[in-house]
Amino acid sequence: MASHSDTLVVFFGATAGANGGKLGSDEREIILLVWQIVDLHEKKVGKLHKCFVKPDTLELTDQCKEETGLTLEDIVDAEPLDKVLEQIQQSVSSEVKCLGRSSYTLLVNGPHVIRQALHPEASKKNLVLPECFFSFVDLRKEFLKCCPNASSVPKLTLSSMLDYVGLPAVSEQMIGVREANSMVQLTLCILDEPYNHKFCCAETVNSKFDSGTCSKTESVDSETVIRARGLPWQSSDQDIARFFKGLNIAKGGVALCLNAQGRRNGEALVRFINAEHRDLALERHKHHMGSRYIEVYKATGEEFLKIAGGTSNEVAQFLSKENQVIIRMRGLPFTATTQEVLSFLGPESPVTDGAEGLLFVKYPDGRPTGDAFVLFSCEEYAQNALKKHKQILGKRYIELFRSTAAEVQQVLNRYMSTPLISTLPPSPIVPLPVLSTPPFLPTASSTRDCVRLRGLPYTAGIEDILEFMGDHTVDIKTHGVHMVLNQQGRPSGDAFIQMKSPDKAFLVAQKCHKKTMKDRYVEVFQCSTEEMSIVLMGGTLNRSGLSPPPCKLPCLSPPTAYAAFPTSPAILSEAALYQPPLLAAPRGPQTAVHSPAHALAYYPPQPHLYMNMNMNYTAYYPSPPVSPSTVGYFAAPPGAMAAAVAAQAHPVAAPAHPAAASSVLPQPGALVRMQGLPYNTGVKDILSFFQGYQPELGGVH
């Protein structure tokens, strides 16, 4: 540190591309280094040294040739960077020793040569930099301490600082020598009267990235956060820290983003220690990580906390052990125990603190998700564990890859907050009428007063849709925003909006079609609630027209009749066969009504009973300004007409008493959903699993 240094080493560098304030912004290699010693006690100056550096790519930009006056002949016979840095360390150490001093600190005019050029290049070339290059003093900041009024100078350059203190500009024309001489003059000036400045505070460059946790209650300055996009999916937090080598990332400041399926989406949020480092990070926009260029944009503290913040005490305790390597395991059998996982990893990759270093990810009801995180005390153990990638545990292959503390928080937050079908309270197993209408369910109509949004970002919420529609939000019906979810209860990228009139729907479709939401264009189609119902049952809707679902409901296996309900003899339209999904709201038992003509039964949706495995699900949201309190998902029941057709095809006598119907569970014709099947499961395996039962012919999908 400068506070303990006897000498300063004035240090200057130039690259084969942009220089000055843009040094390092184009990833060009260093071609020139200049240094000179200043004795702080005696206020004496040592010999000036100038050394050319041979880059791996022998090419100079026109801008470099113009600014530096250098040619390829000057650098073609020079030493590579690692040799030059070794010479600098030996030369400086020898000269400092001759002066009778014991320590030194680099003095630079701005941080670019150290943070944006030297450290990134050394990282890419896998060079180990000497310790002296991990701390430095910025002359401009020290100058402002002596001359605070100089901050009014529009651009603080060497020439403007010399002019401010009344020193003549250096007449030397040679690049590097001119800058070094100017820095030496300024240093001697502020050391002398009337300033008597003390160089007491040196900046440091972190040698490694420290992982850690972040609480959702923590305050994060938005001026310190960036979003990196285009990362290789297997990138770890250490890889990202290496990309930003030379800049200081806050502890636990790398948060890898996950998509709706829990997999990395190639983005990360990075939090730096201050705004200066964030601004330098933005200059690395479209720099390369391997063969891929990485985009770097500004982000907010709120976005960072949304990804990296956590509140779970279990996660905080798991991540409380510092300097650990985190590995994520995915695809574990749901029955896997701690001991089985430890045995799978083997003695060559011991887990930190045994069972305490293993964290299983579970749903809110305690069911395992097949994910787990493991802590290892060193890189060697982690590498041994990664060699187990795609090896078999039980009957399933296991994926292993590097992870981060922020990813642990994000995965736990996602699974613990996602409403799932299997976690909903079971409905009472009693006959219910088919056409029960839940709250906010739109009545089927041919009036084209709705619009369909297609291609929404999976992260889009109600607020994003309202912002997307702009002034047209005033024309949305109360409770008229319907987000469509897939079979896993995740966003499908579709939404339906009920407008106050067909004219309003037409206007929205014209004005908002292919507008952009979060870097994605969204298609907007006008439709009716009948068409909406068909789409929710698997049909398609675009500007070319409407296509029905590939498989109509009467072709499915409807539930066999065990209770009687009245059915309407009226002939319904084809669209009416495809009723929209119902809201997952508790419904009270209904009294069964017998009919001698038709005996029909409707079995309420259960966690493992679905009428159509290809249909979508819809989450209904109230219109603004009300916010939804609960969101649930149930499979849509078939329409009354579908059940009537099925009953006509398979007439069954009604039971004598309603109790007989309620005591009978789903019979042949109902669909059973199986979760957690191994990826290599075949039809024969499923039939073997149901040995003793009689699945319908062709009934395994």
Side-chain angles (χ1 to χ4, degrees):
M1 297 292 291
S3 56
H4 302 105
S5 297
D6 304 303
T7 53
L8 291 176
V9 178
V10 172
F11 190 74
F12 174 83
T15 70
N19 288 286
K22 294 294 184 180
L23 186 73
S25 62
D26 54 3
E27 297 184 277
R28 294 286 183 167
E29 298 171 84
I30 294 174
I31 58 171
L32 173 67
L33 291 174
V34 179
W35 69 97
Q36 188 173 14
I37 287 181
V38 177
D39 188 331
L40 293 178
H41 293 289
E42 300 294 333
K43 299 178 184 178
K44 294 181 180 179
V45 180
K47 180 182 177 182
L48 186 140
H49 302 267
K50 178 180 178 180
C51 193
F52 293 111
V53 182
K54 183 179 181 180
D56 292 343
T57 302
L58 285 172
E59 180 183 359
L60 303 180
T61 64
D62 293 338
Q63 180 184 3
C64 172
K65 293 177 181 179
E66 181 180 349
E67 292 178 352
T68 65
L70 299 178
T71 63
L72 287 177
E73 288 73 18
D74 296 322
I75 61 175
V76 68
D77 296 323
E79 295 286 348
L81 181 63
D82 57 336
K83 298 293 185 182
V84 173
L85 294 177
E86 185 178 344
Q87 293 176 15
I88 292 175
Q89 184 187 26
Q90 293 176 354
S91 172
V92 172
S93 298
S94 176
E95 194 168 347
V96 167
K97 188 175 181 180
C98 291
L99 292 173
R101 307 304 178 195
S102 58
S103 61
Y104 61 92
T105 301
L106 299 182
L107 176 70
V108 295
N109 181 41
H112 288 74
V113 64
I114 299 293
R115 297 195 184 276
Q116 297 287 74
L118 183 59
H119 277 274
E121 183 175 340
S123 178
K124 290 179 180 178
K125 295 181 177 180
N126 294 316
L127 304 181
V128 179
L129 291 175
E131 186 179 354
C132 62
F133 293 105
F134 285 85
S135 63
F136 63 91
V137 176
D138 188 343
L139 178 60
R140 292 184 300 182
K141 293 180 181 178
E142 299 298 319
F143 184 82
L144 286 175
K145 292 178 183 178
C146 300
C147 309
N149 293 332
S151 59
S152 59
V153 178
K155 190 174 181 181
L156 207 59
T157 62
L158 288 173
S159 58
S160 65
M161 288 188 286
L162 288 170
D163 182 66
Y164 189 86
V165 295
L167 294 175
V170 177
S171 59
E172 176 63 50
Q173 296 299 315
M174 188 174 294
I175 182 71
V177 176
R178 177 177 65 251
E179 286 77 8
N181 287 340
S182 299
M183 294 167 66
V184 168
Q185 285 194 33
L186 285 169
T187 301
L188 295 175
C189 177
I190 61 178
L191 284 173
D192 207 351
E193 297 288 346
Y195 304 107
N196 295 320
H197 183 65
K198 302 293 182 183
F199 291 88
C200 58
C201 294
E203 298 183 39
T204 59
V205 179
N206 291 345
S207 58
K208 65 176 183 178
F209 167 69
D210 293 325
S211 60
T213 59
C214 179
S215 171
K216 284 189 178 294
T217 60
E218 187 175 338
S219 175
V220 177
D221 185 1
S222 293
E223 296 299 316
T224 64
V225 182
I226 62 95
R227 179 183 294 272
R229 182 179 296 167
L231 299 165
W233 69 267
Q234 70 273 28
S235 300
S236 67
D237 54 353
Q238 297 295 337
D239 296 321
I240 295 171
R242 184 174 181 178
F243 175 79
F244 289 108
K245 188 69 174 177
L247 307 178
N248 293 348
I249 299 175
K251 183 176 180 180
V254 176
L256 296 168
C257 301
L258 307 180
N259 61 18
Q261 288 72 42
R263 299 176 182 270
R264 297 173 186 173
N265 64 3
E267 295 188 7
L269 293 167
V270 185
R271 176 189 180 191
F272 295 91
I273 61 170
N274 57 39
E276 179 188 6
H277 288 240
R278 193 283 302 267
D279 293 340
L280 291 175
L282 292 173
E283 294 181 11
R284 300 195 188 184
H285 179 59
K286 292 195 174 182
H287 281 204
H288 288 78
M289 179 184 289
S291 59
R292 303 186 60 152
Y293 72 82
I294 309 301
E295 300 172 70
V296 183
Y297 304 100
K298 291 182 180 180
T300 66
E302 182 180 354
E303 290 176 309
F304 182 83
L305 286 176
K306 184 177 180 181
I307 300 298
T311 57
S312 171
N313 292 331
E314 183 182 15
V315 175
Q317 183 177 358
F318 176 75
L319 297 174
S320 61
K321 305 175 183 65
E322 296 187 358
N323 301 320
Q324 299 290 311
V325 183
I326 305 175
I327 298 295
R328 182 180 179 184
M329 303 180 71
R330 189 166 59 196
L332 291 169
F334 295 147
T335 57
T337 64
T338 300
Q339 190 56 48
E340 287 174 339
V341 175
L342 294 178
S343 299
F344 171 80
L345 294 170
E348 65 274 10
S349 49
V351 177
T352 301
D353 295 337
E356 293 184 6
L358 178 62
L359 177 66
F360 287 100
V361 182
K362 298 181 180 180
Y363 289 113
D365 62 354
R367 292 181 300 113
T369 64
D371 279 28
F373 293 94
V374 191
L375 296 178
F376 295 99
S377 58
C378 66
E379 186 66 30
E380 179 184 356
Y381 294 159
Q383 288 289 352
N384 292 337
L386 290 172
K387 294 177 183 177
K388 304 276 187 178
H389 181 60
K390 292 198 173 182
Q391 291 191 16
I392 303 298
L393 174 59
K395 293 185 178 181
R396 306 189 67 168
Y397 74 84
I398 311 301
E399 297 176 285
L400 292 94
F401 43 90
R402 293 179 179 275
S403 186
T404 68
E407 186 173 20
V408 177
Q409 296 277 25
Q410 191 178 171
V411 171
L412 266 293
N413 290 345
R414 174 163 302 185
Y415 278 115
M416 292 304 292
S417 62
T418 301
L420 302 168
I421 293 173
S422 56
T423 63
L424 292 172
S427 302
I429 304 178
V430 294
L432 297 176
V434 173
L435 298 179
S436 293
T437 304
F440 319 138
L441 185 64
T443 304
S445 170
S446 60
T447 304
R448 297 172 60 81
D449 59 351
C450 300
V451 292
R452 178 191 180 189
L453 307 185
R454 187 172 68 180
L456 294 169
Y458 294 131
T459 57
I462 295 297
E463 295 79 5
D464 300 308
I465 292 178
L466 298 180
E467 182 180 353
F468 172 81
M469 296 187 66
D471 296 338
H472 300 290
T473 55
V474 298
D475 299 320
I476 299 176
K477 285 185 179 180
T478 305
H479 308 307
V481 181
H482 310 286
M483 302 290 290
V484 181
L485 309 174
N486 61 19
Q487 290 92 337
Q488 288 74 42
R490 299 189 178 101
S492 66
D494 281 22
F496 285 93
I497 314 294
Q498 289 179 274
M499 307 303 293
K500 292 181 178 179
S501 68
D503 292 339
K504 301 296 184 184
F506 175 80
L507 186 61
V508 170
Q510 293 296 317
K511 296 292 185 181
C512 297
H513 185 57
K514 291 194 175 183
K515 274 181 58 179
T516 300
M517 180 190 296
K518 295 185 177 180
D519 298 329
R520 295 189 62 171
Y521 76 83
V522 178
E523 298 175 287
V524 183
F525 306 110
Q526 185 182 11
C527 67
S528 66
T529 52
E530 282 186 347
E531 293 169 331
M532 178 176 73
S533 300
I534 292 179
V535 171
L536 292 178
M537 296 303 297
T540 58
L541 171 68
N542 51 39
R543 290 191 178 273
S544 300
L546 180 69
S547 300
C551 179
K552 298 181 181 180
L553 283 176
C555 299
L556 297 176
S557 301
T560 307
Y562 286 95
F565 294 96
T567 58
S568 173
I571 302 299
L572 303 180
S573 65
E574 181 184 14
L577 294 177
Y578 308 99
Q579 296 295 325
L582 299 181
L583 181 68
R587 294 175 291 184
Q590 302 286 330
T591 304
V593 180
H594 300 281
S595 172
H598 300 288
L600 303 175
Y602 168 60
Y603 295 94
Q606 298 297 315
H608 302 289
L609 174 63
Y610 299 90
M611 305 311 298
N612 179 2
M613 298 304 292
N614 296 320
M615 66 181 61
N616 294 317
Y617 302 89
T618 304
Y620 294 92
Y621 291 83
S623 293
V626 185
S627 297
S629 57
T630 57
V631 179
Y633 319 104
F634 269 2
M641 188 60 184
V645 172
Q648 292 170 1
H650 306 281
V652 178
H657 193 275
S662 62
S663 63
V664 181
L665 294 177
Q667 300 296 317
L671 295 181
V672 177
R673 181 185 184 188
M674 302 179 69
Q675 290 182 317
L677 291 173
Y679 298 133
N680 57 353
T681 300
V683 174
K684 290 183 179 179
D685 300 313
I686 296 175
L687 294 176
S688 177
F689 178 82
F690 283 106
Q691 186 175 4
Y693 299 88
Q694 295 181 351
E696 290 190 2
L697 184 63
V700 180
H701 306 282

